[in-house]
Amino acid sequence: MTVFQSAWNAQGSVAVQRREAMLARIAALRALEARAAQASAKSKPVFDKRGQLLPRERVGLLLDPGTPWLPLCSLAGFMQDHKDPVLSVPGGGIVAGIGFIEGARCMVVASDSGIEAGAIQAMGLEKILRVQEIALQNKLPFIHLVESAGANLMRYRVEGFVHGGSLFRNLARLSAAGIPVVTVQHGSGTAGGAYMPGLSDVVIMVRKRSRAFLAGPPLLMAATGEVATEEELGGAEMHTSVSGLGEQLAEDDRQALGLARQVVARTEWSNRPPVHAGRAQAAMNSVAIEPLYPAEELLGLMAGDLRQPVDMHEVIARLVDGSDFLPFKALYGAATVCVQAAIDGRAVGIISNNGPIDVAGANKATHFIQLMCQLGHPIVYLQNTTGYMVGKDAEQGGMIKHGSKMIQAVTNATVPQITIQCGASFGAGNYGMCGRGYAPRFLFSWPSAKTAVMGGEQAARTMQIVTEAAMLRKGIAVDAAQSQAQFDKIVAVFEAQADAFYTSGLLLDDGVIDPRDTRAVLAQCLAMCAEADTRQLRPMQFGVARM
């Protein structure tokens, strides 16, 4: 046993100040998430009149009661739909997450049809593509609750139309891989939206509510002059009895969701035994021990301005089983933290930062990643770095080539990698610590995280030096006030774009989480990785074709 002895004063003034700042950020996060739910709930009178359930009510009825739910990308589109953060409604018009249906862990996606009738937003499309990728990589049944007005033609962009084809391609890939794709058509699916049920393995439709057609009555009239009703073109009864697009006909939303649960149960996804146990199965059988230090203390560890040092060993001790971890090369490249531990009974390697990544730290991390691949242990990255070390000594010591070795190892690691952005994620440190560009299985941020090519003040000072040097070469006097104004402007731009809420709005992570939930989130992600590694699929040359 190598139980960590904490030196952190969780009751001290510094911790209390940091805790209050973090709680304020969490409150702001929850307010943004609530804003989307409240915007959708404004449509409740309309839904009630039609005898329908709101999107979040549908998701709640679909899931097994009392089981974990991991929401994904809840801030998608924040400040992309409206530049004023007070007016922006996050979520991308999509509710998405991972939960249990009849004991099977599933990816659940629901059109937020309470907002703009479920019209697909630009970042909503990106959100669907991301969760499809997660479902494919982790072998999760894909359950889609559809009610969408399609693309908003008033905000038409040709690139959105072209890129949107990836949504349907991914449905075909999921089915062909042997992963069940189930669609509940709660409402309309027009034009490209009609291919969502068309590319599903099983489709459930609701009488008098479901619609699926390539061209609705207005477009049909405009294109061909033909007159037809919605029911004739694409009603639920027609599709379940004439075209064969639908397999099940439900009387209302509740029955449709009940049928979806039955369909998932019949897949026996939760009962299929793994084909090869190996270390992954052995890890699942390990007994988990709670950390010795409370998760509540995570709120007071991270400094708001990220310039104050944080010992990431203290964070690790509040995440891993029994606060027990084995340091790797503790005295070599000490600013790069590498430890072996367990989370919820599953063996993991953890890499974190107590400062910039220097030559020794890069070599140490490379060695550690290779060791974890040899052992078959997933790697968790806890980002808190200003990047790779710069300066004459670092350059002459081969920082570029040694940092490149670390990036090579991260890129080609053969085990699942999961990233939590806790604090700073600056420069190439974002890359070497498995940022979004390096395709970790999952990536979540704390509200305190900041992501940028460099700090705002560093960027502003760099431009100030370059600008003033150019002016002096031209014999132009430097205007101190103008120089300071440029400095302040650059700092403001960098700080705004580095903010975790802003980057999450761009889907540069899979969601912002409360630090206290980190262990639970990691446990769910590690469980999914282990299940995926041991699950045998029955892939086909093509996805299930509609007959």
Side-chain angles (χ1 to χ4, degrees):
M1 294 284 287
T2 50
V3 176
F4 179 74
Q5 297 299 316
S6 176
W8 178 248
N9 180 6
Q11 309 303 321
S13 59
V14 172
V16 170
Q17 183 181 15
R18 292 179 181 179
R19 181 178 186 277
E20 289 175 353
M22 183 66 81
L23 284 173
R25 290 286 287 173
I26 293 170
L29 169 64
R30 297 295 178 240
L32 287 174
E33 292 173 333
R35 185 185 298 172
Q38 290 162 1
S40 182
K42 289 179 181 178
S43 299
K44 184 171 175 55
V46 176
F47 277 67
D48 288 345
K49 186 176 180 180
R50 296 190 306 223
Q52 288 186 296
L53 298 170
L54 285 168
R56 285 167 181 78
E57 293 173 332
R58 293 168 183 168
V59 172
L61 279 176
L62 179 67
L63 298 171
D64 294 347
T67 56
W69 166 252
L70 179 60
L72 296 171
C73 310
S74 62
L75 295 188
F78 177 59
M79 292 185 68
Q80 303 307 305
D81 60 332
H82 201 294
K83 294 304 179 185
D84 185 345
V86 176
L87 298 177
S88 178
V89 178
I94 299 289
V95 179
I98 299 168
F100 289 87
I101 302 172
E102 292 291 338
R105 198 189 303 266
C106 300
M107 177 66 73
V108 178
V109 178
S111 309
D112 198 345
S113 47
I115 301 174
E116 296 183 352
I120 298 175
Q121 302 176 21
M123 293 310 298
L125 171 61
E126 297 298 326
K127 180 173 177 175
I128 295 177
L129 296 180
R130 172 56 185 157
V131 300
Q132 286 178 326
E133 179 185 353
I134 292 173
L136 186 61
Q137 195 168 26
N138 294 283
K139 303 175 185 176
L140 300 172
F142 191 83
I143 316 302
H144 202 175
L145 310 183
V146 177
E147 183 174 33
S148 173
N152 187 329
L153 297 182
M154 298 300 293
R155 292 200 295 266
Y156 171 75
R157 293 289 185 273
V158 67
E159 66 272 21
F161 154 66
V162 174
H163 191 35
S166 299
L167 187 163
F168 311 122
R169 174 177 178 268
N170 286 342
L171 292 175
R173 292 173 66 208
L174 284 160
S175 180
I179 299 171
V181 179
V182 180
T183 287
V184 180
Q185 190 79 29
H186 289 279
S188 180
T190 308
Y195 285 105
M196 286 189 273
L199 287 161
S200 300
D201 302 332
V202 178
V203 176
I204 300 162
M205 292 187 154
V206 181
R207 193 189 303 273
K208 304 298 183 185
R209 297 285 0 139
S210 299
R211 303 281 189 274
F213 29 58
L214 296 179
L219 178 57
L220 184 68
M221 169 65 81
T224 70
E226 184 180 352
V227 177
T229 67
E230 287 190 340
E231 280 296 320
E232 291 171 326
L233 282 174
E237 292 179 57
M238 187 280 287
H239 279 310
T240 53
S241 64
V242 178
S243 78
L245 179 65
E247 280 68 54
Q248 304 285 346
L249 179 62
E251 296 301 322
D252 56 23
D253 282 350
R254 290 178 183 275
Q255 186 182 13
L257 295 166
L259 288 169
R261 288 179 55 82
Q262 290 184 47
V263 169
V264 173
R266 293 290 182 179
T267 67
E268 298 186 342
W269 207 256
S270 62
N271 301 325
R272 293 184 185 179
V275 193
H276 55 90
R279 294 187 180 92
Q281 186 65 26
M284 285 192 278
N285 294 330
S286 301
V287 177
I289 304 171
E290 290 297 311
L292 299 184
Y293 306 102
E296 193 74 22
E297 294 181 356
L298 291 170
L299 297 175
L301 280 167
M302 196 60 59
D305 62 11
L306 304 183
R307 285 180 290 192
Q308 301 174 44
V310 176
D311 183 0
M312 293 302 288
H313 292 96
E314 299 283 358
V315 173
I316 294 170
R318 288 155 179 83
L319 299 178
V320 303
D321 293 1
S323 302
D324 174 14
F325 54 83
L326 178 64
F328 178 81
K329 292 182 184 285
L331 302 179
Y332 179 77
T336 299
V337 176
C338 299
V339 305
Q340 289 178 264
I343 296 176
D344 200 34
R346 302 178 194 278
V348 296
I350 298 176
I351 303 177
S352 191
N353 322 102
N354 279 344
I357 305 169
D358 58 15
V359 167
N363 279 309
K364 169 181 173 177
T366 301
H367 184 174
F368 187 72
I369 291 167
Q370 292 175 331
L371 176 61
M372 293 304 101
C373 291
Q374 182 189 63
L375 296 175
H377 293 174
I379 302 170
V380 174
Y381 297 84
L382 302 176
Q383 288 194 3
N384 182 41
T385 183
T386 53
Y388 286 93
M389 184 67 77
V390 296
K392 184 174 68 175
D393 290 344
E395 298 289 6
Q396 292 179 356
M399 187 70 260
I400 294 173
K401 69 178 183 181
H402 296 300
S404 297
K405 285 192 300 189
M406 180 177 172
I407 289 174
Q408 285 271 11
V410 172
T411 302
N412 297 295
T414 55
V415 295
Q417 300 182 101
I418 302 169
T419 301
I420 307 290
Q421 294 185 322
C422 301
S425 180
F426 292 160
N430 175 277
Y431 307 158
M433 288 294 293
C434 203
R436 174 60 101 202
Y438 287 76
R441 286 278 190 102
F442 297 93
L443 189 155
F444 294 95
S445 299
W446 283 6
S448 52
K450 292 185 182 295
T451 304
V453 67
M454 63 182 72
E457 292 187 5
Q458 288 77 15
R461 181 58 182 152
T462 299
M463 288 306 302
Q464 192 176 52
I465 292 171
V466 170
T467 301
E468 290 181 359
M471 293 177 69
L472 290 173
R473 284 196 302 271
K474 296 175 182 178
I476 302 173
V478 175
D479 185 321
Q482 188 176 23
S483 179
Q484 185 62 44
Q486 176 186 279
F487 183 95
D488 294 342
K489 181 179 179 180
I490 292 173
V491 170
V493 168
F494 268 71
E495 288 298 315
Q497 294 193 29
D499 184 82
F501 295 174
Y502 185 86
T503 55
S504 192
L506 291 170
L507 289 183
L508 300 182
D509 60 27
D510 296 322
V512 180
I513 62 172
D514 185 325
R516 294 169 292 189
D517 296 333
T518 306
R519 175 175 163 85
V521 169
L522 286 173
Q524 290 189 59
C525 293
L526 290 167
M528 277 182 267
C529 294
E531 290 168 11
D533 289 347
T534 57
R535 185 179 295 283
Q536 183 182 41
L537 298 178
R538 296 180 175 85
M540 301 176 290
Q541 185 176 3
F542 300 100
V544 173
R546 309 244 118 238
M547 301 303 291

